[in-house]
Amino acid sequence: MADEPAVKRAIAFFDGQNLYRHAKDAFGHHHPNYDPKKLFDAVCADKRWVNHGVRFYTGTPAHAQSPMWHGYWATRLLLMRRAGIIVESRPIRYRAHDVTLADGTVETRYVPQEKGIDLRLGLDVVRLARVCQLDVAVVFSQDQDLAEVVTEVKEIARDTNRWIKVVSAFPTGPAATAQRGVNGAEWYRMDQTFYDACLDLRDYRPKNSS
């Protein structure tokens, strides 16, 4: 088994929508009001890891479907990039879904679907582990599809005789709808006190939004 490094280089990988949905359930926050840098700095301070960068992944809605959220993410992602965060965004696709209402009429609703975000995040974790750019990958997500990424990183560590860890960081509390992190990863539970100390209180909504 490889020796544990005295100084551990950590990189954050934020699944923006996954973290938002779980924080909404656990803590009642109704928009993605966390500050990725503050949140990762707090984790690193607690674990005594060295922050080697933050990466953020999210789907963004089309203007035609949601003008407010389109404008929100356009502004927010621009400022993240200016702050040094590496951002990967993909347009959200919408799948038509017919719903029969109580009066028998059929209404078409559009269900948002992120395409490729979790795949892009997972590929980046594996790539950066393979080229020895990190010792700890901190994934802010509870998406169980990422369990395969954990397995791959463990195989890289074994094959290269290196110490590498994948950590799944997630909100926890009595109201949380999911109490598990990504399978196979080390879990880092964030309670509301920890999470709320890392909020971004700026309002990114377009000025003309209602």
Side-chain angles (χ1 to χ4, degrees):
M1 181 179 293
D3 293 335
E4 182 175 339
V7 177
K8 300 177 182 66
R9 302 163 300 162
I11 295 179
F13 300 82
F14 279 83
D15 182 340
Q17 297 295 334
N18 187 280
L19 177 57
Y20 158 57
R21 289 193 299 270
H22 288 291
K24 179 181 179 180
D25 293 340
F27 308 140
H29 294 297
H30 290 282
H31 66 98
N33 58 350
Y34 55 87
D35 184 316
K37 278 196 163 184
K38 284 183 182 179
L39 210 50
F40 188 45
D41 280 338
V43 172
C44 287
D46 181 42
K47 302 295 288 188
R48 298 183 180 178
W49 297 332
V50 179
N51 181 338
H52 266 244
V54 177
R55 307 175 75 95
F56 190 88
Y57 303 77
T58 189
T60 54
H63 185 273
Q65 292 290 338
S66 179
M68 190 280 285
W69 282 113
H70 177 85
Y72 174 97
W73 282 114
T75 300
R76 190 148 191 217
L77 296 182
L78 175 63
L79 293 179
M80 282 190 192
R81 290 185 176 100
R82 288 178 177 174
I85 296 173
I86 295 174
V87 172
E88 292 281 352
S89 64
R90 302 283 173 86
I92 293 176
R93 306 301 182 189
Y94 295 85
R95 178 174 56 85
H97 178 64
D98 290 337
V99 177
T100 302
L101 304 179
D103 62 3
T105 60
V106 177
E107 178 180 285
T108 300
R109 297 178 181 174
Y110 293 90
V111 180
Q113 294 180 312
E114 284 188 315
K115 290 294 185 181
I117 287 297
D118 55 348
L119 176 60
R120 181 69 264 165
L121 187 158
L123 288 172
D124 284 348
V125 172
V126 170
R127 177 177 59 84
L128 293 176
R130 193 178 299 281
V131 298
C132 200
Q133 292 296 305
L134 57 79
D135 303 302
V136 184
V138 184
V139 179
F140 288 80
S141 179
Q142 291 168 274
D143 187 341
Q144 295 302 334
D145 287 344
L146 295 172
E148 294 185 39
V149 173
V150 179
T151 299
E152 182 69 20
V153 171
K154 288 180 178 179
E155 291 178 358
I156 293 171
R158 184 195 62 220
D159 294 345
T160 59
N161 193 32
R162 289 166 48 211
W163 187 98
I164 315 174
K165 176 181 290 188
V166 179
V167 175
S168 172
F170 58 94
T172 188
T177 52
Q179 300 287 353
R180 296 179 58 82
V182 176
N183 288 338
E186 179 179 300
W187 296 352
Y188 187 92
R189 295 174 173 86
M190 300 181 292
D191 64 20
Q192 185 157 9
T193 299
F194 182 95
Y195 186 92
D196 284 358
C198 303
L199 297 182
D200 182 345
L201 300 179
R202 288 172 288 185
D203 186 352
Y204 293 97
R205 292 174 299 175
K207 298 304 180 184
N208 60 351
S209 66
S210 57

